[in-house]
Amino acid sequence: MTFMVLQGSLELGIIYAIMALGVFISFRTLNMPDLSVDGSFVLGAAFSAVMSSSGHPFLALGIAFLAGCGAGSITALLHTKLKIQPLLAGILTMLALYSLNLKVMGGRANIPLMNKTTVFSILEKTALGDNSKLIFPLAVLLLMLLLLYLFLKTRLGFVLRATGDNDHMVRALGVNTDSVILIGLALSNGLVALSGALIAQSQSFVDVGMGIGMVVIGLASVIIGEVVFGVKTLLRRLIAVILGSVLYRLIIAFALEIGMPPTDLKLVSAVIVAIAMAMPIIKKRLSAVKRRFMVRRHERSK
Amino acid sequence: MLRVEGLRKKFGQGSNNEKLALAEINLSLQEGEFVTIIGGNGAGKSTLLNCISGVYEIDEGKITLDTVDITFDPEYKRSKYIGRVFQDPLRGTAYDMTIEENLAIALAKGKPLGLMPGVTKKETTLFKERLELLDLGLENRIKQKVGLLSGGQRQALTLLMATIVKPKLLLLDEHTAALDPTIARKVLHLTRKIVAEEKLCTLMITHNMKASLEFGTRTIMMHEGKIMMDLQGQERSNMTVDRLIEQFEKRSGAELDNDRMLLS
């Protein structure tokens, strides 16, 4: 792998790590599979592109975050107030967002941002120079990591974590779990949309289909991170998500390097996640087979 | 303190499996009263507790707690005044969080949720003091995850969590049933201690007839969604397990069908 490829993977990994942190909140902290991610990622990107085009690239990031929060809230309300299963609630939001994203993009399926002001075109002119594509997202990511970590250590953060663990207990302790889920999913999708907004400006391009499979990529990052870097403490888990995201990009880069066509990448992502999720079962089966084999050999040797 | 009037609850209304779980329950508890509830399978003991705590909406009747009508309050609102310990040790705590964090959530009951620190040094000291009273050595494991605790330790912790902010009513739904006898005994004694110290109004379901007479100040026996027997004072202190079974069979015209209950 060339240095260029490595650097590219790192840049992408850092931006996508923000999205993965969002997925971590819904999947791991709230224990709720939220598929609206595919839509809210593009929602963030769409707002980012439109607002950059009109000359407000920094503001665009904040607006994208808020738009994501809105999308997450819709999923949460569908689930908590209308009692729609989490999976389906996410799918409904995702579908609705597809149309909404096209509306935000002014009816176009894609928006190129070449020669438009983006945060990166502004920062390139400062002391950061060419490194801005690495350093700015990294700063945003670290800020988000810090804020998220601190948030999860607050009273509200405790309750958020406990809701994913055991919602009975949280209700028995006098907390409305519906509001907790709303806050959690809003935050989760806000981060996802922020990630989408950064990707849009970094790649100078937005496509309405760029969010397909995003939730799987996020999940892959979370799981790879957990497997490789561990889950001991909360901070370690969060950092593991980030490292997982970078590692995922490196795996993808490697797949491309050995000549896999880019159109096969979604297949690769799906396989990675399937294997990672099946790991505990596979390990169990293997050890059972091994034990049986050992017993037979022992009997035969008698 | 607690008043339940004309409470009725049906399950599966209109279906073939329609079952009248609670038929006309009237019950009132004085301040500091510790009531034990016994009864066969399907007598409606748990349903009664779940109706009081708001897990189930009731069909008819009225529930007042400390003169406030809570009949239509959602579960989480009632929980501000009601402490609960469940039968399943897994239900009372968050397994992936530390003992300290679990207690912090319990201590925040009724307080606004916000971005203040989840747990402060002062609170940690308080938690250690309270945990010491449990006499299980948990005060030294405050930073460990609850998932590492045994069932009995968890129930003791849940009991502490349910009472760390003094509730107006404590509901215990067979909270020792899943524990081995020695630990169950310990948790029961702990329950008695906490209830007495805090003068808590308590409803405790138990399958152990001996314990139902030994602990608490009043015993209620339920059968087919009704209160069959309400023992207090002298009548209760003269009661034995054998006579209790005898009385039950006489009054209900049925044999006691709860195996666990007879065996223990």
Side-chain angles (χ1 to χ4, degrees):
Chain A
M1 250 183 260
T2 62
F3 180 72
M4 278 281 281
V5 175
L6 277 178
Q7 195 189 2
S9 303
L10 193 61
E11 280 172 17
L12 280 178
I14 285 169
I15 300 180
Y16 279 112
I18 300 173
M19 182 269 298
L21 284 176
V23 170
F24 176 81
I25 295 177
S26 55
F27 267 83
R28 284 294 186 252
T29 309
L30 278 177
N31 204 5
M32 210 176 125
D34 174 24
L35 300 190
S36 30
V37 167
D38 281 22
S40 47
F41 186 81
V42 185
L43 183 68
F47 269 108
S48 178
V50 172
M51 292 190 64
S52 297
S53 302
S54 56
H56 301 288
F58 282 100
L59 185 62
L61 300 179
I63 298 291
F65 180 83
L66 292 179
C69 291
S73 308
I74 301 288
T75 307
L77 290 173
L78 286 173
H79 169 53
T80 57
K81 297 298 171 205
L82 303 180
K83 304 290 170 211
I84 297 172
Q85 293 162 10
L87 218 52
L88 189 57
I91 291 174
L92 290 176
T93 308
M94 174 176 85
L95 188 68
L97 281 175
Y98 189 86
S99 300
L100 211 63
N101 291 339
L102 280 171
K103 267 204 197 337
V104 173
M105 291 161 74
R108 290 164 292 176
N110 56 59
I111 305 177
L113 287 176
M114 292 296 168
N115 305 322
K116 293 271 164 47
T117 351
T118 65
V119 290
F120 301 104
S121 72
I122 295 170
L123 290 174
E124 260 170 19
K125 290 175 197 130
T126 66
L128 292 176
D130 286 344
N131 289 327
S132 65
K133 273 199 173 170
L134 189 63
I135 290 174
F136 180 66
L138 185 63
V140 175
L141 171 65
L142 292 179
L143 182 68
M144 290 302 137
L145 171 75
L146 183 72
L147 290 177
L148 184 57
Y149 176 70
L150 291 175
F151 171 69
L152 289 175
K153 287 282 184 189
T154 64
R155 193 182 281 171
L156 183 58
F158 275 16
V159 171
L160 187 80
R161 286 157 62 202
T163 301
D165 251 15
N166 185 350
D167 56 329
H168 292 294
M169 160 195 150
V170 175
R171 274 194 301 276
L173 292 175
V175 178
N176 185 357
T177 43
D178 287 1
S179 339
V180 178
I181 290 173
L182 183 91
I183 293 168
L185 285 189
L187 205 60
S188 160
N189 282 283
L191 287 173
V192 171
L194 176 62
S195 168
L198 280 170
I199 283 287
Q201 297 195 28
S202 161
Q203 302 192 330
S204 300
F205 186 74
V206 177
D207 182 277
V208 75
M210 71 195 280
I212 297 174
M214 202 48 67
V215 68
V216 176
I217 295 173
L219 202 51
S221 309
V222 170
I223 296 171
I224 293 172
E226 282 173 356
V227 170
V228 180
F229 304 102
V231 293
K232 264 242 161 92
T233 62
L234 184 64
L235 186 61
R236 184 148 168 193
R237 289 187 82 160
L238 293 176
I239 293 173
V241 171
I242 294 174
L243 295 176
S245 170
V246 174
L247 202 57
Y248 173 83
R249 284 295 141 193
L250 289 173
I251 296 172
I252 293 296
F254 179 73
L256 289 172
E257 198 86 344
I258 59 171
M260 190 172 273
T263 44
D264 285 357
L265 287 183
K266 298 235 185 298
L267 179 65
V268 176
S269 310
V271 171
I272 292 175
V273 171
I275 292 175
M277 295 207 97
M279 241 348 160
I281 293 289
I282 295 173
K283 272 188 190 156
K284 216 164 128 190
R285 290 265 163 82
L286 277 179
S287 79
V289 168
K290 201 169 142 195
R291 219 169 41 233
R292 216 175 303 152
F293 177 74
M294 296 291 270
V295 169
R296 280 211 195 117
R297 202 170 59 178
H298 184 71
E299 277 170 358
R300 222 175 291 148
S301 67
K302 269 189 202 164
Chain B
M1 200 65 190
L2 172 73
R3 262 181 95 81
V4 177
E5 294 162 87
L7 174 56
R8 284 169 73 86
K9 173 73 191 168
K10 248 183 211 162
F11 285 115
Q13 187 116 36
S15 75
N16 285 338
N17 299 321
E18 186 176 298
K19 185 181 185 309
L20 185 65
L22 292 177
E24 202 60 31
I25 296 276
N26 290 295
L27 178 68
S28 96
L29 261 69
Q30 304 302 318
E31 194 154 3
E33 209 166 16
F34 183 175
V35 179
T36 57
I37 307 178
I38 44 173
N41 297 329
K45 306 174 302 268
S46 288
T47 309
L48 175 62
L49 256 54
N50 282 328
C51 285
I52 295 173
S53 61
V55 176
Y56 300 143
E57 284 177 23
I58 64 175
D59 297 335
E60 270 175 56
K62 189 176 166 192
I63 304 170
T64 31
L65 184 60
D66 204 14
T67 68
V68 182
D69 186 348
I70 57 165
T71 315
F72 299 106
D73 282 353
E75 183 189 355
Y76 77 90
K77 273 197 186 152
R78 299 185 201 192
S79 295
K80 288 187 178 139
Y81 316 107
I82 301 178
R84 273 187 285 166
V85 183
F86 311 99
Q87 179 176 351
D88 180 357
L90 302 177
R91 265 187 84 170
T93 44
Y95 68 94
D96 205 24
M97 296 176 74
T98 63
I99 294 178
E100 176 181 65
E101 289 168 341
N102 271 276
L103 282 165
I105 297 172
L107 189 66
K109 193 191 236 191
K111 292 184 197 152
L113 283 177
L115 300 178
M116 60 288 275
V119 57
T120 61
K121 282 228 168 75
K122 214 172 111 200
E123 285 167 351
T124 305
T125 322
L126 171 77
F127 297 155
K128 280 190 178 162
E129 276 169 29
R130 294 298 185 90
L131 285 166
E132 252 169 60
L133 300 177
L134 301 185
D135 197 22
L136 293 167
L138 294 182
E139 63 275 10
N140 304 320
R141 302 172 61 183
I142 202 154
K143 303 264 181 213
Q144 280 184 21
K145 285 189 178 168
V146 169
L148 300 168
L149 302 185
S150 71
Q153 289 169 333
R154 277 194 191 198
Q155 287 306 68
L157 178 62
T158 310
L159 192 63
L160 181 58
M161 285 167 63
T163 53
I164 197 160
V165 173
K166 187 181 172 183
K168 290 181 176 165
L169 176 68
L170 179 63
L171 300 177
L172 309 168
D173 188 354
E174 295 208 47
H175 67 308
T176 59
L179 310 176
D180 77 65
T182 333
I183 305 290
R185 197 91 205 134
K186 196 162 181 183
V187 172
L188 274 177
H189 280 285
L190 200 62
T191 307
R192 170 149 70 189
K193 192 170 131 195
I194 292 176
V195 168
E197 271 168 14
E198 302 277 332
K199 296 189 184 58
L200 295 173
C201 193
T202 305
L203 276 172
M204 176 174 90
I205 300 177
T206 173
H207 59 272
N208 186 327
M209 297 193 107
K210 204 167 137 251
S212 78
L213 294 173
E214 184 187 341
F215 294 88
T217 57
R218 178 176 166 194
T219 298
I220 284 172
M221 187 175 249
M222 289 183 71
H223 181 64
E224 288 179 347
K226 292 194 191 94
I227 294 176
M228 290 279 308
M229 219 191 281
D230 189 344
L231 294 169
Q232 315 186 41
Q234 196 64 34
E235 191 188 5
R236 182 172 184 267
S237 37
N238 293 335
M239 188 57 78
T240 62
V241 172
D242 287 339
R243 283 191 39 226
L244 197 59
I245 295 173
E246 193 184 302
Q247 288 260 330
F248 173 84
E249 289 177 351
K250 206 168 78 192
R251 291 198 200 188
S252 66
E255 273 193 37
L256 213 48
D257 59 352
N258 191 336
D259 292 343
R260 280 187 309 154
M261 193 151 98
L262 284 173
L263 288 171
S264 48

